[in-house]
Amino acid sequence: MARTGTNLDTETANGLTNETTRTTATSISTVSGRRYFFALATGGGSGGLLTNPTVVFNGSGLTMTIVIREKNDAASSTLCLFSGVATASSSGTFTLTRGGSDTWGRICIIVDEINDSVGTAGAIQQSKVNEDNTSATSTLTCTFDGAFQSGSYGYAAFINSSLLVVTPRTNWTELADIGNATAEQLATQYRDATDTAASGSWASNALSVGVGVEVLEGAASGIPAGVLAAILDEEG
């Protein structure tokens, strides 16, 4: 049975006044052994997130860990990606809370589920980010450290700051593509096969940020220490 990706929730909001916390409007149902991703794009407010926010699942059996936080240096946009493996089936919403004194005025949220074929959710082996802070390209690519290991799959999230629809990389499947009607466009995609990169494309050059991850099926769940040590923030 092939692994499948499913979008569970998309939410956007504009005109927020220095918001610092948000609970999603939609309650999702989790399944034990499946991996969940929470992709977040913020804009406005304090001008970008300088400290890692937190995401808490308001059900049981799912702890979300931040994989990456990357701010576009030429925009107020920040991309964050969280992930976790359900250890029990449950239902609930998510609560996002700022880190430090960060605030936001616009937001996009995508929640996705990946169901793998052996019932174990695997571990994130690597995560790679890239950004275009000069509006120099209409395709942003996150290049991995070589092709995926046998049994791995890929997941990626991209934002651009021009509300341009995102086209996924060839042979990748789009899960969601949403915009907040002011600036940020957020899209997610996955591939149930090996690859050497993840990428997103749009109609014209735009400020953008992207992250691609490799998940190895059947490995111990969680995020390896080496990946955690490499979590990037605005400064690198």
Side-chain angles (χ1 to χ4, degrees):
M1 181 177 116
R3 285 165 294 205
T4 57
T6 304
N7 174 252
L8 300 180
D9 187 27
T10 61
E11 300 189 13
T12 65
N14 294 281
L16 308 173
T17 303
N18 295 326
E19 188 173 78
T20 62
T21 186
R22 170 170 289 265
T23 297
T24 56
T26 300
S27 177
I28 69 158
S29 296
T30 62
V31 177
S32 181
R34 296 185 183 180
R35 178 171 289 277
Y36 295 85
F37 289 97
F38 184 106
L40 167 71
T42 64
S46 56
L49 305 185
L50 302 179
T51 306
N52 289 344
T54 59
V55 169
V56 174
F57 179 58
N58 297 314
S60 60
L62 178 60
T63 299
M64 303 299 287
T65 302
I66 192 163
V67 178
I68 205 71
R69 169 179 54 86
E70 186 73 7
K71 176 183 176 295
N72 189 291
D73 293 331
S76 66
S77 302
T78 303
L79 172 65
C80 295
L81 181 65
F82 300 81
S83 187
V85 176
T87 59
S89 298
S90 183
S91 62
T93 57
F94 292 90
T95 297
L96 166 71
T97 303
R98 71 173 179 182
S101 58
D102 292 337
T103 63
W104 52 84
R106 306 180 298 272
I107 200 166
C108 297
I109 292 171
I110 295 174
V111 179
D112 295 325
E113 174 192 84
I114 304 292
N115 174 29
D116 78 26
S117 60
V118 297
T120 55
I124 294 178
Q125 299 300 295
Q126 58 175 321
S127 61
K128 298 297 178 181
V129 298
N130 196 8
E131 71 173 284
D132 174 7
N133 56 24
T134 62
S135 294
T137 183
S138 60
T139 297
L140 191 69
T141 300
C142 302
T143 302
F144 296 110
D145 295 331
F148 295 165
Q149 301 177 61
S150 176
S152 288
Y153 63 90
Y155 179 90
F158 291 88
I159 62 170
N160 66 64
S161 298
S162 298
L163 289 177
L164 297 172
V165 171
V166 179
T167 299
R169 181 175 173 86
T170 300
N171 295 321
W172 290 60
T173 300
E174 181 179 273
L175 291 168
D177 189 358
I178 59 174
N180 59 26
T182 299
E184 288 77 28
Q185 186 86 11
L186 172 66
T188 58
Q189 55 183 285
Y190 81 104
R191 185 179 186 190
D192 184 20
T194 188
D195 211 330
T196 58
S199 62
S201 302
W202 27 90
S204 59
N205 293 358
L207 300 174
S208 56
V209 180
V211 57
V213 300
E214 174 196 358
V215 183
L216 177 60
E217 180 179 279
S221 63
I223 299 178
V227 175
L228 284 175
I231 287 176
L232 303 179
D233 62 16
E234 179 221 2
E235 296 301 324

